[in-house]
Amino acid sequence: MNKHLLTVGALALLAAGCSVGPEYKRPAVALPAAYTDTPATTEAAPRYALQQDIQRDWWTLFRSPALDALVEQAFRANPSVREAQEALRAAQENVLAQRGYFYPTVQAGYSPARNKVAGNLGGNSPGIQGNGTVISTKEGTPASEGGKAPYTAPVLYNFHTAQLTVGYTPDVFGANRLETASLAAQQRAERLQLEATYITLASNIAAAAFQDALLRRQIDVVEQMIDASGQAVALARRQRDAGYTARQELAAQQNAAAQAKQQLPPLRLQFEQNRELLRVLAGVAPGGAVPAFTLASFQLPPTLPLSLPSQLIEQRPDIRMAEEGLRAATAQAGVARAARLPQFSISATAGGAASQFGQMFWNSGKFFDVTASLLQPLFDGGTLKHRERAANAAMRGAVAAYQSAVAQAYQNVADVLHAIDAGNDALAASQEARDAADTMRDLAVRQHANGYLDQLALIAAEQESWQAQLALAQAEASRLGDAAALFQALGGGWWHRTDNGADVAAVSPPP
């Protein structure tokens, strides 16, 4: 018997190097030669540095200490970061738990019992001999002649059992290795999700900071427009009362003043909502202090990175996450296949049993058993077959998800580059319009001072200048936001992070 058990165990161990299921292979994707046509090279356009590495704290390139402090505050206090960190720790613990199945299980057990056996059952209990002769009878009840008792008292006795059980399930077809590989892929995906959380959070804070600066500028300009419109209405009313202008001129000025006032409430609403967004992103309590930003406090980086399309696959966290999802799905397909193959297990138990605790490990009380088992599913209503088919379908779906993530990433970068090019043109046009409006305003001021231009014409020239300032502020803020979006689209430099908030194995950085 022992020889057969050893043979089974040896065969199981030899087969442990075997694994079933599909082998993971990164899907082929078409790599474009470039994201878009040649980027704009106007004087206002930023210079692109091809294959320039992206620093982790890319937001510091905008030269705003207030923005830097707010991003670091958010990394410490934003709940989404803690959520991603705990999800990562949970994934790590799941991997460690699954690895435990590679080792034997050892269990110790002790079972004390107090038993009462009915006297009329006889048997081989500790208080009754095998032939029914009374060993212990109820006190005061005599035995009958011949040693047979007409009345046999119930027997009370103690029984102690202590044992050590060792179990082992050989990973013959690699099911446990595949399950561990699947969980490890999920752990790496959670690590990448944490990195994506950092990148998205920094990008959202930068966008909200740029919006805060823009809205402050817009509100200031609109308030000046409202004041000037009020002066124009008062002047037009005096001129009408004096008979110098018609009522139509007064109505036109009143209409211009009303339109200026209409712009202010939506701007103030956006401003307050954006301030609340900054508080939430930074993990600041409602009503708490957050910095006030101005467009002048930001500097556009003189050069912007531009990774090659082949680099994007390694740099984007979402692409890497999709790949880890495919790794996990591929491993699960192997797990489902292995479930349809024979299952092996080995167990051994040794211990002792006796009616008294101190006698459990006497030679007479010792026991042991060694068992090897092989289980082959023969009929299960097609459950395992359809689970394997489902796992294979999920794997094919993961391939499509990976390819979709790659395509969307390229589109994201292309969209940002298009936005940067359009923003450069918009900024150049806005600057020209602002310069022209300022020139017209300056001329109107001099003409009005010399008596060649009335007050209404001067106010109209000033309003044109303010409208040009609004457009220019919008173009400047958009340009800053597009630059931040490019850093995010290219991966955000997550591979330079040294502290990820959890003690886990690092994901390999881009080559």
Side-chain angles (χ1 to χ4, degrees):
M1 179 63 180
N2 290 340
K3 181 183 295 185
H4 294 305
L5 290 175
L6 291 175
T7 302
V8 172
L11 290 175
L13 292 175
L14 288 175
C18 172
S19 61
V20 296
E23 182 179 356
Y24 170 77
K25 184 179 180 181
R26 175 182 285 182
V29 292
L31 298 179
Y35 302 105
T36 66
D37 296 336
T38 304
T41 56
T42 62
E43 183 178 350
R47 296 191 303 274
Y48 291 100
L50 291 177
Q51 303 186 58
Q52 175 180 298
D53 196 12
I54 302 171
Q55 63 185 68
R56 181 192 66 84
D57 53 348
W58 52 265
W59 54 89
T60 62
L61 298 175
F62 293 95
R63 307 302 180 192
S64 172
L67 175 61
D68 301 344
L70 197 62
V71 171
E72 295 301 326
Q73 159 75 13
F75 285 176
R76 294 190 302 268
N78 189 281
S80 63
V81 173
R82 296 197 300 273
E83 178 186 3
Q85 289 172 343
E86 295 305 324
L88 177 56
R89 292 189 178 98
Q92 179 191 19
E93 295 301 329
N94 286 333
V95 173
L96 297 176
Q98 189 64 35
R99 287 175 180 170
Y101 288 109
F102 287 113
Y103 302 95
T105 59
V106 181
Q107 301 181 31
Y110 169 61
S111 177
R114 176 72 170 168
N115 301 278
K116 179 179 180 179
V117 180
N120 58 4
L121 293 181
N124 294 321
S125 68
I128 303 176
Q129 290 183 348
N131 59 5
T133 302
V134 176
I135 299 175
S136 171
T137 61
K138 184 177 180 181
E139 183 178 356
T141 302
S144 63
E145 295 180 359
K148 299 293 183 179
Y151 169 76
T152 305
V155 178
L156 294 173
Y157 66 95
N158 299 326
F159 202 72
H160 302 267
T161 304
Q163 64 183 29
L164 188 69
T165 303
V166 179
Y168 180 63
T169 301
D171 195 20
V172 177
F173 297 107
N176 190 49
R177 289 195 300 280
L178 291 169
E179 188 69 46
T180 303
S182 176
L183 291 173
Q186 295 176 40
Q187 173 191 330
R188 293 190 294 271
E190 291 294 346
R191 163 67 190 278
L192 291 163
Q193 179 60 59
L194 174 58
E195 300 297 349
T197 300
Y198 282 124
I199 297 169
T200 302
L201 184 57
S203 180
N204 288 341
I205 288 179
F210 301 151
Q211 185 73 0
D212 181 80
L214 171 62
L215 290 169
R216 288 179 186 276
R217 170 79 68 82
Q218 289 177 327
I219 289 174
D220 179 63
V221 171
V222 170
E223 287 177 342
Q224 295 181 54
M225 293 173 62
I226 292 174
D227 291 341
S229 298
Q231 297 175 19
V233 169
L235 179 60
R237 182 176 287 111
R238 289 195 300 269
Q239 291 180 341
R240 184 208 61 180
D241 294 342
Y244 295 116
T245 59
R247 180 175 177 80
Q248 183 178 2
E249 181 66 24
L250 173 60
Q253 294 299 330
Q254 289 174 332
N255 180 60
Q259 290 181 354
K261 291 179 180 179
Q262 286 179 344
Q263 297 183 53
L264 191 57
L267 289 175
R268 286 177 173 170
L269 174 61
Q270 293 178 44
F271 174 76
E272 294 300 334
Q273 290 176 336
N274 190 70
R275 297 291 288 176
E276 294 301 328
L277 175 61
L278 278 172
R279 292 186 180 95
V280 171
L281 292 174
V284 177
V290 288
F293 296 96
T294 63
L295 289 176
S297 65
F298 298 108
Q299 296 182 24
L300 187 72
T303 60
L304 293 177
L306 187 59
S307 305
L308 295 176
S310 58
Q311 294 176 295
L312 197 66
I313 293 178
E314 302 294 341
Q315 293 179 181
R316 289 270 300 213
D318 54 343
I319 296 179
R320 297 283 293 269
M321 288 171 60
E323 183 175 11
E324 296 301 337
L326 176 55
R327 290 181 187 274
T330 303
Q332 285 299 321
V335 172
R337 176 58 182 165
R340 302 183 64 184
L341 301 175
Q343 310 296 310
F344 297 87
S345 64
I346 303 172
S347 65
T349 302
S355 59
Q356 296 185 23
F357 183 86
Q359 298 176 359
M360 279 191 297
F361 296 104
W362 287 10
N363 289 333
S364 58
K366 293 180 180 179
F367 65 86
F368 77 91
D369 68 76
V370 179
T371 305
S373 65
L374 184 151
L375 180 64
Q376 170 62 55
L378 297 179
F379 177 77
D380 60 0
T383 298
L384 296 178
K385 176 182 69 176
H386 291 295
R387 284 179 178 173
E388 182 182 3
R389 290 180 179 178
N392 288 330
M395 180 181 63
R396 294 191 296 271
V399 172
Y402 173 80
Q403 294 170 336
S404 176
V406 172
Q408 291 177 9
Y410 287 137
Q411 178 189 357
N412 181 207
V413 176
D415 289 345
V416 172
L417 292 176
H418 285 307
I420 291 175
D421 293 345
N424 293 333
D425 296 336
L427 180 64
S430 298
Q431 288 173 336
E432 290 180 3
R434 191 272 316 270
D435 293 342
D438 288 348
T439 299
M440 292 176 61
R441 181 200 60 199
D442 294 341
L443 290 173
V445 169
R446 288 196 294 269
Q447 289 175 347
H448 178 267
N450 294 324
Y452 298 114
L453 196 68
D454 62 14
Q455 182 70 22
L456 291 177
L458 174 61
I459 293 175
E462 290 178 340
Q463 289 178 336
E464 289 293 333
S465 175
W466 287 321
Q467 291 290 350
Q469 291 181 35
L470 289 175
L472 179 59
Q474 180 67 62
E476 290 175 350
S478 297
R479 198 165 182 241
L480 292 168
D482 293 338
L486 181 61
F487 284 104
Q488 180 185 17
L490 296 178
W494 61 267
W495 48 93
H496 293 303
R497 183 178 300 280
T498 56
D499 58 328
N500 51 40
D503 182 18
V504 297
V507 179
S508 59

